[in-house]
Amino acid sequence: MRITEVGNAFDRETHLGVFHSPIPSDNGRVAAPSFGTQDGVEYMFYEAGPRLNARICIARAV
């Protein structure tokens, strides 16, 4: 998954790079990220694995 900052009118795009790469247990696919914070720690919930047979996973910021 990559992250890009865009302008308010989508008139600017700044590519910031990769913020999450699949790990072996993701079976090569990550999608649908959702973010949250608890006690100052950032988390990302995401879908991993083949479509229609995916799992919900969690990643913690380091």
Side-chain angles (χ1 to χ4, degrees):
M1 289 184 223
R2 299 177 184 273
I3 188 167
T4 301
E5 183 178 12
V6 297
N8 290 336
F10 296 99
D11 55 346
R12 173 181 53 86
E13 63 181 59
T14 305
H15 297 275
L16 301 174
V18 174
F19 74 91
H20 181 75
S21 294
I23 59 175
S25 63
D26 289 337
N27 292 321
R29 180 179 167 271
V30 294
S34 179
F35 302 92
T37 303
Q38 181 176 7
D39 299 326
V41 179
E42 298 172 335
Y43 294 93
M44 177 180 74
F45 297 90
Y46 63 97
E47 177 182 324
R51 291 182 185 268
L52 303 177
N53 195 20
R55 301 177 329 278
I56 301 299
C57 297
I58 187 170
R60 184 179 64 158
V62 292

